[in-house]
Amino acid sequence: MKRLLTIILALQCALMVSAQQLRNPVIPGYHPDPSVVCVGNDFYLVNSSFQYFPGVPIYHSRDLVNWQLIGNVLDRESQLPLQGASSWLGIYAPTIRYHEGTFYMITTNVGNGGNFMVTATDPRGPWSEPLWLEQQGIDPSLWFENGKTYMVSNPDNTIMLCEIDSKTGKQLTESRPLWRGTGGRYPEGPHLYKKDGWYYLLISEGGTELAHKLTIARSRNIYGPYEANPANPILTNCCMAGQGMQIQGTGHGDFVQAPDGSWWIVFLAYRNFGGSYHHIGRETYLAPVEWKAGEWPVINGGQPIDTLMAVNTLAPQQPRNVHQHTLLNSKSNLGPEWVYLQNPIEQNYQFTGGKLRLHAQGWLVDNKRPTFLGRRQESAAVEIETEVTIEPNNAIYGLTVYQINDGYLRLYASDEGVCFDARIKSAETQPAFVRWADDVPQQVRLRITSDGERYHCFYARPHQDFEELGSMECSLLSTEVVGGFTGVTVGMFTDGPTNADFGEFSYFDYKEK
């Protein structure tokens, strides 16, 4: 008996040693609708990008917990027309797959063409020009088998399947219905898998807000009929066990099998701050999956998803320590994290005299290819800073925290003074304004900080300390208040009546606290 107890204790200790602390999300900030593929020992993951250009960020990992941004799939206007796109439109949920030496990315450009597919032999690019597809509905996905290429999407709130030509995109068979889900609204995000002789169809239901969930069905035949899992939903935090957690809106996932045979799922969710509000967007999360032969997959032991979980991960998760100082003297200093709103007008972004000159293109609220250059806010607690040169023209220029074209804050300068204001839907806040006296500075530094509850805006004259100009609650820029499918981005902008109006920026500093 004593020896048996010793063995049990040893096994318990071994399990304790092998378990890691998995901190979710694994890709924080505005990174919704993740799709993942494993090729050899490498994992590649893509996300939705909506109205931002370039589109569909692509990440690489060797262990599913530590991810590196390696580029954007859609980096040319010919691949990604975004005329008039807002964060309700543009690129919806992409799927990435690999087959016989080729990577495939299939997605929907809502408002500018519908479903299409691009291919590459290297996930870092270049990716091909779009192959436009006939079957519509959002969130298309691919399945390859026996020389055939199948496509699923959700026209008319029904998961539909057809066969396509992977070289041309031409639809080869009629669209056939597979499943309408379990009765939740918006059955979408379909992915097909085959395991132990079964075709498994994973979908999202409930809408991408609080009631988001994953459900699954299976069939012996790819065309069905599909039998629903009696234990559906297989993932949701909208339940008794998960209702008190910071993480909500769990859904839209994609299974992947690691080289060691273990199964995992990446999926989206969001974190609430300041109550039931989320402003930094739907993020990418990870959970283990138990998938026994011939049985239904079980995600995270059937338990809801928390920000910290004890999981036998493939490798230890490295802590985030992000501080990025970008000198704006060359376009080559801009990494793949930098994005524009819609397709940029190239001549409005000029590197000259060791600075970035941003020419006005109307106003942010107009949503007509505004002059904006920024990046995703990937932590609730951040500090961003820039230095602007005071220009004697009609422009205003500075920093913005941007959720949607009628939901943002601005901290900006002009030759009249420095100002902080915000637009919350149709309402404009009372601006906080400091007018320059006779001594108009040549430059002024602008800084915005956040602790996840409030944004604080500061300015500083040369060789002087920062002074706070004003603050506002982060929740006012949340999806619940101003809408949108993205999450906030932070960056530089110039607003003004004509292209002759401009602002000049020396650097951009982004630091997570």
Side-chain angles (χ1 to χ4, degrees):
M1 177 63 73
K2 184 176 180 180
R3 184 175 180 181
L4 179 60
L5 289 174
T6 302
I7 293 172
I8 291 172
L9 287 172
L11 287 172
Q12 288 176 335
C13 290
L15 289 173
M16 291 174 63
V17 169
S18 62
Q20 307 288 341
Q21 290 293 317
L22 171 62
R23 185 174 297 278
N24 267 314
V26 291
I27 306 179
Y30 148 45
H31 291 98
D33 308 316
S35 176
V36 65
V37 67
C38 182
V39 181
N41 293 317
D42 298 283
F43 299 94
Y44 298 97
L45 182 147
V46 292
N47 297 106
S48 300
S49 52
F50 294 91
Q51 81 273 39
Y52 288 93
F53 182 94
V56 187
I58 182 165
Y59 283 82
H60 170 259
S61 176
R62 284 291 181 91
D63 53 30
L64 290 171
V65 295
N66 300 293
W67 293 91
Q68 179 186 9
L69 179 64
I70 60 172
N72 294 275
V73 172
L74 306 174
D75 59 6
R76 306 186 299 277
E77 188 169 355
S78 59
Q79 296 171 310
L80 183 55
L82 289 171
Q83 289 84 352
S86 71
S87 64
W88 300 108
L89 301 174
I91 296 297
Y92 278 36
T95 295
I96 187 170
R97 292 293 184 258
Y98 178 81
H99 181 64
E100 294 182 348
T102 298
F103 289 88
Y104 295 78
M105 192 284 296
I106 184 172
T107 188
T108 312
N109 188 339
V110 178
N112 282 285
N115 289 332
F116 68 95
M117 178 172 65
V118 293
T119 61
T121 55
D122 184 340
R124 291 166 176 80
W127 290 75
S128 71
E129 290 298 300
L131 296 173
W132 296 98
L133 305 168
E134 297 172 50
Q135 181 171 291
Q136 293 303 302
I138 60 170
D139 307 350
S141 185
L142 296 170
W143 174 255
F144 299 91
E145 186 175 22
N146 297 330
K148 295 182 178 181
T149 302
Y150 297 93
M151 169 189 169
V152 285
S153 60
N154 76 332
D156 301 320
N157 282 320
T158 302
I159 308 303
M160 306 283 280
L161 174 77
C162 69
E163 186 184 340
I164 65 171
D165 186 323
S166 64
K167 304 296 184 184
T168 66
K170 180 179 175 57
Q171 186 165 329
L172 303 178
T173 65
E174 66 177 9
S175 299
R176 294 175 58 173
L178 300 186
W179 194 39
R180 293 182 62 90
T182 63
R185 65 175 185 163
Y186 307 138
E188 58 194 19
H191 292 303
L192 279 168
Y193 314 88
K194 191 174 185 181
K195 186 177 183 296
D196 309 319
W198 290 94
Y199 292 93
Y200 288 86
L201 176 58
L202 177 71
I203 74 167
S204 306
E205 296 185 52
T208 191
E209 304 87 18
L210 185 65
H212 210 27
K213 58 187 177 182
L214 285 174
T215 58
I216 195 167
R218 68 182 184 181
S219 172
R220 291 290 189 183
N221 188 301
I222 194 169
Y223 287 105
Y226 280 82
E227 164 201 4
N229 182 355
N232 279 325
I234 60 171
L235 176 67
T236 185
N237 268 26
C238 189
C239 57
M240 290 290 288
Q243 63 182 343
M245 292 181 174
Q246 183 187 25
I247 295 173
Q248 294 298 324
T250 53
H252 200 110
D254 194 6
F255 290 122
V256 65
Q257 187 174 28
D260 69 352
S262 61
W263 282 91
W264 301 83
I265 189 168
V266 295
F267 56 96
L268 72 77
Y270 58 81
R271 289 176 289 168
N272 283 329
F273 294 93
S276 298
Y277 302 95
H278 72 283
H279 64 286
I280 63 173
R282 298 169 299 155
E283 306 169 292
T284 293
Y285 291 73
L286 177 73
V289 177
E290 183 181 29
W291 204 340
K292 296 179 180 178
E295 297 186 11
W296 297 100
V298 177
I299 299 173
N300 195 39
Q303 298 301 307
I305 305 301
D306 208 346
T307 52
L308 194 63
M309 304 189 303
V311 174
N312 294 325
T313 55
L314 301 180
Q317 190 174 26
Q318 301 302 314
R320 285 177 64 87
N321 183 22
V322 179
H323 185 188
Q324 193 170 45
H325 185 81
T326 304
L327 292 175
L328 298 173
N329 55 10
S330 172
K331 188 175 182 178
S332 63
N333 291 342
L334 302 180
E337 71 277 6
W338 289 91
V339 292
Y340 306 86
L341 286 166
Q342 302 174 358
N343 303 113
I345 300 174
E346 293 293 339
Q347 61 265 33
N348 288 345
Y349 302 82
Q350 298 178 355
F351 293 90
T352 178
K355 297 179 180 180
L356 172 61
R357 178 175 290 183
L358 298 182
H359 288 264
Q361 180 68 25
W363 311 88
L364 287 175
V365 69
D366 296 335
N367 199 42
K368 296 178 180 178
R369 303 174 76 176
T371 301
F372 166 91
L373 179 62
R375 54 161 295 157
R376 292 160 174 83
Q377 179 181 329
E378 296 178 350
S379 171
V382 295
E383 177 181 290
I384 62 171
E385 181 181 311
T386 193
E387 180 184 71
V388 297
T389 301
I390 301 301
E391 304 290 348
N393 59 47
N394 294 319
I396 60 175
Y397 34 82
L399 297 173
T400 181
V401 180
Y402 184 96
Q403 177 75 256
I404 193 171
N405 65 296
D406 55 2
Y408 54 82
L409 73 81
R410 301 182 301 181
L411 173 63
Y412 57 88
S414 69
D415 57 355
E416 295 184 354
V418 61
C419 185
F420 153 65
D421 66 13
R423 185 175 188 89
I424 311 300
K425 302 303 287 183
S426 60
E428 294 183 359
T429 62
Q430 182 68 32
F433 182 71
V434 172
R435 184 176 299 276
W436 306 129
D438 295 333
D439 57 336
V440 179
Q442 285 188 316
Q443 287 89 26
V444 63
R445 287 175 293 157
L446 304 174
R447 177 184 289 176
I448 299 175
T449 68
S450 177
D451 58 4
E453 301 288 332
R454 298 188 71 85
Y455 287 106
H456 297 266
C457 297
F458 303 84
Y459 75 99
R461 297 170 181 262
H463 313 297
Q464 294 187 17
D465 293 335
F466 278 95
E467 299 179 50
E468 184 165 0
L469 191 59
S471 69
M472 66 176 282
E473 293 182 2
C474 298
S475 61
L476 292 176
L477 296 182
S478 66
T479 296
E480 289 76 12
V481 174
V482 296
F485 278 165
T486 61
V488 291
T489 52
V490 293
M492 300 162 289
F493 78 98
T494 296
D495 274 356
T498 70
N499 179 264
D501 302 311
F502 63 88
E504 287 190 343
F505 299 77
S506 302
Y507 64 85
F508 185 86
D509 195 81
Y510 174 90
K511 179 166 60 177
E512 297 181 1
K513 298 180 179 179

